Amino acid sequence: MTSAAPRRAAPAPTGRRRRSLAPLLFLAPFLVPFVLFTLLPVGYAFWQSLHRTERVGGTFGRTTTVFAGFEQYAEVLGNDAFLASVGRVLLFGIVQIPLMLLLALSLALLLDSGVARLKKFFRVVYFVPYGIPGVVAALMWAFLYDPRLSPVVDVLRDLGTSPDLLAPGAVLWSIGNVVTWTYTGYNMLIIYSALQAVPQDVLEAARADGAGGWTVALRIKVPIVRPALILTAVFSIIGTLQLFTEPQVFRAISTSVTSTYTPNLAAYSLAAADNYSEAAAMSVVLALATFVLSFGFLKFTGRRGA
């Protein structure tokens, strides 16, 4: 009869622990800035939106911060100017984003086609507007829109038309033109990079079956780069809701752009007026709207692609 040898404690799963930490190390370059520059500011804005400042003893009296609950949010959601600004940027996004992405996709397909020449040169040319600071780009286009200064408006006037590109009904689309000019090349490069990953054997097989250039582009390339299109669309949705620089510059030359023209501009104006609590509530509402629209778009496109 033999007795069983005493069992020894299992060694610590060092390899498994290292494997579990590896994803965190790879995600750290994203997570650390995301927490520092996104989650913490939004969290601080939420905390500030739940409080308000009260002044005791008249105009020059002592100020105190008191808890106000969701009182600021009720003010924001009942603010007609803020709601109008939200509707304005939604209309802007519905029109401008599809046009910009269609233009970016067309340019990317053109560069990826066999007939394109000087590809490196045109990649740089298309990307140059994105490298120009937003304020500079807005100032440049404001000069071209201003009927007192613009040579373009002078030429159009000589041709018998007198467009007012800064009028209330036109300035939103004048801003849209600036945004499209700035970001089309950036989105084009993302789509063009995805086109470079399209398997060549798939393209050769399609051509061997008699597919022409248009068929290959629309039936083969576009479906394959669909994730890149979704990515650029999400970036565009986020950027549209944060529209600020262009309308802020255009305020200097057009009375059509008010201090509440976009949600970001409305929050900025409130903060400049020392109403930080309501400005923080607007910022939180805007952050939630951005998250809901972006996540909803991803879910919608995910179901359509399933």
Side-chain angles (χ1 to χ4, degrees), residues 4-214:
R7 291 186 177 181
R8 300 179 60 183
T14 307
R16 186 180 305 170
R17 194 176 305 159
R18 285 178 180 171
R19 284 195 295 273
S20 64
L21 289 176
L24 293 177
L25 291 176
F26 281 111
L27 288 173
F30 162 75
L31 285 178
V32 172
F34 179 71
V35 170
L36 289 178
F37 303 116
T38 301
L39 293 185
L40 285 180
V42 172
Y44 178 70
F46 179 68
W47 178 87
Q48 199 168 29
S49 69
L50 299 178
H51 298 76
R52 71 167 183 268
T53 301
E54 291 184 348
R55 190 176 296 277
V56 180
T59 306
F60 300 103
R62 182 171 55 87
T63 59
T64 57
T65 301
V66 297
F67 182 74
F70 291 94
E71 180 182 306
Q72 308 295 337
Y73 290 93
E75 292 283 340
V76 168
L77 297 178
N79 189 328
D80 292 338
F82 176 72
L83 297 179
S85 70
V86 172
R88 192 174 292 118
V89 295
L90 289 178
L91 174 64
F92 180 91
I94 290 171
V95 176
Q96 188 267 337
I97 292 175
L99 287 176
M100 177 179 65
L101 295 186
L102 181 62
L103 183 58
L105 175 63
S106 302
L107 291 175
L109 289 172
L110 184 62
L111 276 184
D112 190 60
S113 67
V115 298
R117 298 290 183 270
L118 302 174
K119 294 184 179 181
K120 292 182 180 178
F121 171 75
F122 282 108
R123 282 205 302 267
V124 173
V125 169
Y126 294 151
F127 189 73
V128 163
Y130 182 71
I132 298 175
V135 173
V136 176
L139 285 172
M140 183 187 74
W141 280 99
F143 167 75
L144 294 175
Y145 291 152
D146 194 330
R148 299 164 299 178
L149 306 171
S150 172
V152 176
V153 174
D154 286 341
V155 171
L156 293 174
R157 193 178 292 134
D158 293 339
L159 294 175
T161 59
S162 55
D164 186 358
L165 301 174
L166 300 174
V171 71
L172 183 64
W173 311 118
S174 298
I175 294 172
N177 177 57
V178 181
V179 175
T180 303
W181 179 80
T182 302
Y183 291 100
T184 295
Y186 169 78
N187 292 314
M188 184 276 297
L189 278 186
I190 295 176
I191 300 169
Y192 180 74
S193 300
L195 284 171
Q196 301 307 297
V198 175
Q200 289 300 314
D201 54 345
V202 174
L203 300 177
E204 291 172 2
R207 294 190 184 101
D209 287 342
W214 282 104

Side-chain angles (χ1 to χ4, degrees), residues 265-305:
L265 206 53
Y268 173 80
S269 300
L270 278 176
D274 212 17
N275 191 348
Y276 291 108
S277 299
E278 192 170 340
M282 275 190 184
S283 303
V284 173
V285 170
L286 189 58
L288 286 175
T290 304
F291 172 77
V292 169
L293 283 178
S294 305
F295 187 72
F297 179 78
L298 285 174
K299 292 291 289 183
F300 174 74
T301 52
R303 286 182 181 176
R304 293 290 300 271

